[in-house]
Amino acid sequence: MSLRKVLFSVAMAAVTISGAAQHQPVSLDSCRAMALSNNKQLRIRNEAVRQAGYQKDEAFAAYLPAIDFAGGYMYNQKEISIFDKDQLLPTKTFDLATQSYQFNIVKNPITGEPVKGPNGEYIPETVALIPKEAMTYDIHNVFFGAITLTQPIFMGGKIVAMNRLTHYAEELAKAMHNNEAENVIYAVDAAYWQVVSLKAKQKLATSYVALLDTLHANVQAMVNQGVATRSDLLTVDVKLNQANVDLTKVDNGLVLSRMALAQVCGLPVNTVMNLADEDTDFAECSAPIATSYNMEDVYARRQDLRALEMGVEIYHQKERVAMSEMLPKVALVGSYSFSNPNMFNGFSKKFDGAFSVGAMVSIPLWHWGGNYNKYRAAKSQTAMARMQLDDTKDMIDLQVSQSAFKAQEAVKTYHMTLSNLEKANENLRQATLGFHEGIMTTDNVMEAQTAWLKANSEKIDALIDIHLCDVYLSKVLGTLPYPQSN
């Protein structure tokens, strides 16, 4: 399925879910779908992929012949005349004796010698008259144009390099899109589990207030019977007031976290969504956490690393582009030029034209090292990109190790909180029994209730931490599911 179809499907799902958000539980997958459909940064990345595709098509067009048209009109103030005045041209007559044409010149009738004029030139006997008007042309209104075809033959490898460059640029844009999709999903998961966590803590805080209310009622009854002091009741009141303040803080935090989740999902911030996991006893992730990973597979899945790899390839192709500036370039050129008036068959005031075909060669000879230094600068950029890629791989190694360690520790912490919670429950039960039997004080009960509250809160935090560590580990390993840009 194409990316467009996927986004359309999740968009329709988002509309349906947002309309029924306050009535039906919204799952984590639904929140992810809404976020992927509505996220503006993801839309920008998607448009960047489309732009890179257009640039790739543009680069491929350089292989094909370019056809251009140029035309224009020009008004000239004056006419053009080849002669400044009427011209008198001497004539020739065929001489049988010499078997050649001889100028007709004036000869002395006595001596038969040619006669020269005052300027020392021979005087023609007969002339041909060419009036000035005959060689004057009307060029007041001139229309002209040309259709040109240019076919590159060899451009120093620049066209090939640009096609490869734009291909890698398109792959880079796709990798950036996929990486952004991963970031969106991770942000949604964090906001989702934050809501679930605060909802669970709200229930816990409510239960804690209920325990203190029960204790307050019992102490009040004991005060009325004279078996407890007013000080004991005030101590419980202070604890109850603090519990109500904490409950209010949790309520406020839950409202704000719901706003944050709605914003991440692309919904109005006042949208209230009932999450599928907030009213259930969500369990820990049961998938075992590996202690080592095939880093080559991790590298292949990481979209940010793929983006850096594409960057290295792009810089390498820029080297080829820079090198092409130092190589000869050959192109085939053909054109059809026309004008009105034209001089193809005398001076004619009508459109006429002619074809011409040729080749163009450009050879760079000497640029004082400018092109070579440009090439060396491009090589330096490629070297820096490769070093950045290697450094990122080292950071990913550390990232994977730390994420796996944190996930393992989160599971261990959760099991410890279960043990602590079991002890806190038993402690609270014993304190409550002892209080009713008169062998435990109010302070003992409140201490047991506080320990019970802390143990439950730590269990909730540990469960949420397992989910967050799991999704972060998936993101680091490149296994987080997301709609890929193909």
Side-chain angles (χ1 to χ4, degrees):
M1 182 180 293
S2 66
L3 176 63
R4 180 176 298 177
K5 292 182 179 178
V6 171
L7 291 179
F8 178 77
S9 299
V10 297
M12 295 304 296
V15 172
T16 303
I17 289 169
S18 62
Q22 300 185 14
H23 305 287
Q24 297 179 354
V26 181
S27 66
L28 177 59
D29 289 338
S30 298
C31 290
R32 288 178 174 180
M34 287 187 287
L36 291 171
S37 174
N38 298 325
N39 186 267
K40 293 182 175 61
Q41 288 299 320
L42 201 58
R43 292 181 182 178
I44 292 173
R45 294 296 182 189
N46 190 47
E47 197 63 34
V49 173
R50 190 176 291 110
Q51 177 192 14
Y54 296 147
Q55 291 175 338
K56 180 181 176 182
D57 294 340
E58 175 191 359
F60 179 78
Y63 283 118
L64 307 176
I67 301 176
D68 301 292
F69 170 78
Y73 164 80
M74 180 179 292
Y75 172 78
N76 298 296
Q77 178 186 5
K78 296 181 178 180
E79 296 178 338
I80 186 172
S81 179
I82 297 178
F83 302 138
D84 59 344
K85 58 183 179 180
D86 295 344
Q87 298 297 310
L88 300 177
L89 301 181
T91 62
K92 287 185 177 182
T93 302
F94 188 76
D95 188 350
L96 293 174
T98 61
Q99 293 293 307
S100 62
Y101 285 94
Q102 301 295 328
F103 280 105
N104 296 319
I105 56 178
V106 177
K107 296 181 180 179
N108 189 319
I110 299 175
T111 63
E113 294 294 329
V115 179
K116 293 184 178 180
N119 56 4
E121 296 179 354
Y122 294 107
I123 300 173
E125 183 178 14
T126 59
V127 295
L129 173 64
I130 302 179
K132 176 184 177 182
E133 290 78 6
M135 301 301 291
T136 300
Y137 305 107
D138 179 9
I139 60 168
H140 288 305
N141 300 290
V142 178
F143 301 88
F144 55 90
I147 298 176
T148 305
L149 183 145
T150 305
Q151 173 62 62
I153 303 299
F154 178 70
M155 293 288 112
K158 183 176 183 179
I159 296 178
V160 175
M162 288 301 298
N163 274 269
R164 291 176 180 173
L165 188 152
T166 52
H167 167 72
Y168 293 130
E170 184 180 32
E171 294 299 316
L172 170 62
K174 291 179 180 179
M176 295 298 292
H177 173 276
N178 296 339
N179 187 62
E180 185 64 29
E182 287 183 327
N183 293 335
V184 170
I185 291 176
Y186 180 71
V188 170
D189 283 31
Y192 181 92
W193 291 115
Q194 178 69 15
V195 173
V196 173
S197 172
L198 289 174
K199 180 66 176 181
K201 289 187 175 182
Q202 183 189 50
K203 292 180 180 179
L204 179 62
T206 302
S207 300
Y208 182 58
V209 170
L211 286 175
L212 289 174
D213 278 333
T214 302
L215 180 62
H216 181 273
N218 292 335
V219 174
Q220 180 67 57
M222 295 172 65
V223 170
N224 294 338
Q225 295 174 4
V227 295
T229 65
R230 184 70 179 171
S231 176
D232 294 332
L233 184 61
L234 290 175
T235 302
V236 176
D237 285 340
V238 170
K239 203 70 174 178
L240 180 58
N241 289 336
Q242 182 61 47
N244 282 313
V245 170
D246 292 339
L247 178 58
T248 302
K249 290 181 179 178
V250 173
D251 290 338
N252 294 337
L254 181 58
V255 171
L256 294 176
S257 64
R258 289 188 189 278
M259 290 182 179
L261 178 60
Q263 191 274 330
V264 172
C265 292
L267 301 175
V269 293
N270 58 351
T271 302
V272 179
M273 293 184 291
N274 294 322
L275 305 185
D277 292 300
E278 68 179 59
D279 293 321
T280 59
D281 293 331
F282 54 96
E284 63 171 305
C285 299
S286 58
I289 301 171
T291 56
S292 61
Y293 299 92
N294 186 335
M295 293 309 300
E296 293 301 323
D297 292 341
V298 174
Y299 296 154
R301 291 191 299 262
R302 285 288 295 258
Q303 294 300 310
D304 52 349
L305 194 63
R306 177 168 175 76
L308 290 176
E309 291 172 348
M310 293 301 101
V312 172
E313 296 296 337
I314 287 173
Y315 282 122
H316 180 63
Q317 296 307 317
K318 286 185 176 181
E319 288 182 33
R320 302 289 300 274
V321 173
M323 181 182 291
S324 69
E325 300 296 329
M326 298 183 288
L327 300 176
K329 300 173 181 61
V330 181
L332 180 66
V333 180
S335 66
Y336 178 80
S337 304
F338 58 90
S339 65
N340 180 9
N342 68 86
M343 299 289 290
F344 291 107
N345 188 18
F347 186 83
S348 176
K349 295 193 68 176
K350 64 179 182 180
F351 281 103
D352 199 0
F355 287 100
S356 59
V357 179
M360 181 178 66
V361 179
S362 173
I363 303 176
L365 296 179
W366 185 253
H367 293 269
W368 302 100
N371 291 337
Y372 181 60
N373 287 320
K374 181 179 179 180
Y375 170 68
R376 292 199 295 182
K379 287 181 67 69
S380 296
Q381 283 186 317
T382 306
M384 288 188 293
R386 286 199 177 98
M387 288 186 282
Q388 180 65 37
L389 177 62
D390 294 337
D391 183 63
T392 302
K393 287 184 177 180
D394 294 338
M395 295 299 296
I396 289 176
D397 292 344
L398 177 62
Q399 198 177 43
V400 169
S401 299
Q402 290 180 337
S403 301
F405 176 78
K406 289 180 180 179
Q408 293 165 0
E409 290 301 308
V411 174
K412 293 179 182 178
T413 302
Y414 170 72
H415 290 300
M416 286 190 289
T417 60
L418 288 180
S419 177
N420 291 339
L421 180 59
E422 183 180 356
K423 295 176 182 178
N425 287 333
E426 179 62 21
N427 182 42
L428 179 60
R429 190 183 69 84
Q430 294 289 344
T432 303
L433 281 176
F435 178 74
H436 287 302
E437 294 175 0
I439 59 176
M440 289 287 187
T441 65
T442 304
D443 290 338
N444 296 138
V445 176
M446 288 190 296
E447 288 177 2
Q449 290 175 342
T450 302
W452 174 84
L453 176 67
K454 181 180 179 182
N456 275 280
S457 180
E458 288 176 347
K459 176 192 172 185
I460 294 171
D461 290 338
L463 279 171
I464 297 300
D465 196 36
I466 286 177
H467 286 284
L468 293 179
C469 287
D470 180 67
V471 70
Y472 184 69
L473 181 60
S474 297
K475 181 178 184 296
V476 168
L477 295 175
T479 58
L480 195 64
Y482 58 91
Q484 297 189 20
S485 176
N486 298 317

